[in-house]
Amino acid sequence: MKLVLSDRALDLTPSDRFRFVDLSKLKINNCIGCFGCWTKTPGKCVIRDDATNVYPLIAASDEVIYVSRVKYGGYDVIMKTMLERAIPIQQAFIRLVHGETHHVQRAVAPKRALIVGYGDISKEERELFLRLIARNAHNMNFASHRVLFASEEEAEALVKKEVSAWTNS
Amino acid sequence: MDKLLILNASPRAPKSNSKRYAQLFANACPAESVCRNVNKNNHAELIGAMEECSDLLFVFPLYADGIPVTLLRLLKDMEETPPQKKPVVSVLINCGFLEPAQNDVAIDMVRLFCAQNGYDFGSVLKIGSGEAILDTPFAAFARAKIKKLALCIAKGKKRTLKVSMPLPKKLFLRASRSYWENYGRKNGVTKEEMSTMRIEGE
């Protein structure tokens, strides 16, 4: 499965080749850090809102494009809220990945990930965002990843170009 | 340092490890301090409280490799409506992983916020194995570093400190497995159930 996860509306033509989730249209509450998805109802978040439909898509996808405004060198609120709510796809238990301790994944497909960070992004923010995505790669099962930056105006065209490469392949 | 505001930005602030770390810090701090939890609805009040403080300490856990949304939202409001008098910002961060360095990106997010918004950045304590360390014989190491952080902030020193359980990684893996199995057992959930590969039952 291919997935585009975005914090804003994008004019993407629906296709059976990929799923598109506009997080800005969904009701997703903050993670409350209860560890319920690890220790009470493993694999299921105790907050039954729209996030419970999204993290299974993240887990099942082997190609993803995440589209997020960049703030302080990280994801802005909408995307970060969803990624925090995606921890049911991991176990509480710890393993070694490249010699570092990280959580064990449940049935999470290894991913080719493209992260599109958009906005008015300084050099320092770009460098920090690149470091963040490198950390995500270990914790979110990215087999490979790329990061592209764009202005707010250019982001949609950039994503459409990447998606058309999917649909034409 | 005149007065310090400790802000617990954990998503589960009232029942968090960050609460325990904040309390240990407050006990060790030689200056007057006040501790508050961050929630969605009290940002204006907290920004008002910053006006009366020379120093601000954010206490929070690493969340999905960065700062938790709880803190991100507050920083954005601090950018939107800053306090007239900006305190020196320090950080006490913990993660459940063994390596304190896994906190570095989140720390640099706060550092970047400070650079962009005219706050002086102070000291840091980054804690590894922070989910469990306070309930182990290694708690004394954490308490000592928290005390050192408090003294650094009180004296206006800018230091980066770190602490973790002094365990080989393989031993840490076993210890953490035992910790989480016990956590599940208290909820009536077995280790096999916790190890399920199924997501939303699928």
Side-chain angles (χ1 to χ4, degrees):
Chain A
M1 183 193 294
K2 295 177 170 61
L3 172 68
V4 179
L5 193 63
S6 174
D7 68 354
R8 55 182 268 190
L10 295 171
D11 181 23
L12 293 177
T13 307
S15 161
D16 57 3
R17 305 290 297 275
F18 70 94
R19 299 285 296 266
F20 171 52
V21 176
D22 175 3
L23 295 170
S24 69
K25 300 275 197 305
L26 303 183
K27 175 65 176 168
I28 298 176
N29 293 290
N30 283 8
C31 175
I32 55 172
C34 67
F35 296 136
C37 61
W38 289 345
T39 66
K40 287 183 182 170
T41 56
K44 290 184 182 177
C45 182
V46 301
I47 306 170
R48 306 310 293 169
D49 62 9
D50 290 336
T52 62
N53 298 318
V54 179
Y55 59 71
L57 297 178
I58 293 174
S61 298
D62 53 11
E63 292 208 48
V64 296
I65 300 177
Y66 294 166
V67 184
S68 176
R69 182 180 295 281
V70 174
K71 194 69 184 169
Y72 311 134
Y75 303 103
D76 206 343
V77 166
I78 293 174
M79 180 63 73
K80 186 60 168 40
T81 301
M82 180 59 236
L83 294 179
E84 291 184 1
R85 289 289 307 285
I87 62 168
I89 71 175
Q90 300 180 333
Q91 299 177 10
F93 301 123
I94 305 283
R95 61 177 174 160
L96 289 181
V97 178
H98 304 300
E100 270 188 351
T101 54
H102 294 281
H103 287 288
V104 175
Q105 307 279 319
R106 301 194 197 276
V108 177
K111 301 175 196 319
R112 292 205 302 176
L114 168 63
I115 315 298
V116 176
Y118 71 86
D120 183 14
I121 311 166
S122 68
K123 178 173 174 285
E124 291 76 16
E125 274 191 303
R126 286 177 185 228
E127 288 172 357
L128 187 51
F129 195 69
L130 290 171
R131 286 171 55 205
L132 170 68
I133 305 310
R135 302 305 307 164
N136 288 169
H138 293 324
N139 283 316
M140 298 180 183
N141 222 17
F142 296 168
S144 64
H145 68 276
R146 291 183 295 145
V147 181
L148 297 175
F149 294 105
S151 67
E152 183 159 1
E153 296 74 26
E154 294 166 340
E156 180 161 349
L158 178 61
V159 175
K160 288 173 93 164
K161 184 179 162 194
E162 294 290 333
V163 168
S164 63
W166 275 354
T167 51
N168 294 332
S169 62
Chain B
M1 180 176 74
D2 300 325
K3 185 176 174 184
L4 183 132
L5 177 62
I6 304 168
L7 293 184
N8 178 357
S10 169
R12 54 171 177 151
K15 296 189 286 185
S16 60
N17 282 308
S18 294
K19 180 181 178 183
R20 298 173 72 188
Y21 290 123
Q23 190 58 55
L24 288 168
F25 182 93
N27 293 344
C29 185
E32 180 185 359
S33 66
V34 57
C35 188
R36 303 287 305 277
N37 296 336
V38 180
N39 64 53
K40 269 186 183 177
N41 303 314
N42 67 353
H43 294 180
E45 191 185 331
L46 297 179
I47 292 168
M50 291 174 200
E51 306 273 6
E52 300 163 14
C53 294
S54 58
D55 288 77
L56 172 61
L57 177 70
F58 288 127
V59 185
F60 59 94
L62 182 70
Y63 237 71
D65 301 314
I67 58 174
V69 165
T70 313
L71 179 56
L72 176 57
R73 288 180 190 275
L74 174 63
L75 295 184
K76 290 178 74 172
D77 278 349
M78 288 169 66
E79 180 172 317
E80 190 76 20
T81 48
Q84 289 189 345
K85 184 181 143 212
K86 294 179 177 174
V88 179
V89 175
S90 292
V91 166
L92 196 171
I93 181 171
N94 81 90
C95 69
F97 305 120
L98 184 62
E99 305 86 3
Q102 292 210 39
N103 295 306
D104 286 353
V105 166
I107 294 163
D108 285 346
M109 287 174 176
V110 179
R111 205 187 298 270
L112 186 60
F113 161 81
C114 289
Q116 288 177 344
N117 291 280
Y119 290 81
D120 197 10
F121 190 82
S123 288
V124 172
L125 173 57
K126 46 187 177 182
I127 300 177
S129 60
E131 177 63 30
I133 191 171
L134 290 181
D135 299 315
T136 72
F138 306 119
F141 297 148
R143 282 197 292 268
K145 283 293 169 76
I146 289 168
K147 185 174 183 181
K148 190 168 180 182
L149 176 71
L151 294 175
C152 284
I153 293 173
K155 292 177 180 174
K157 292 181 180 175
K158 298 181 179 182
R159 296 281 188 275
T160 296
L161 310 170
K162 63 182 179 180
V163 67
S164 188
M165 291 187 200
L167 294 177
K169 292 192 178 184
K170 286 189 176 173
L171 190 54
F172 174 76
L173 295 188
R174 285 210 296 273
S176 71
R177 173 163 279 277
S178 172
Y179 173 85
W180 285 110
E181 285 175 1
N182 286 334
Y183 206 120
R185 194 175 299 123
K186 287 175 192 163
N187 294 325
V189 175
T190 66
K191 59 186 176 185
E192 289 78 16
E193 289 168 328
M194 288 177 66
S195 301
T196 182
M197 300 303 276
R198 293 159 72 97
I199 296 164
E200 285 292 311
E202 299 293 329

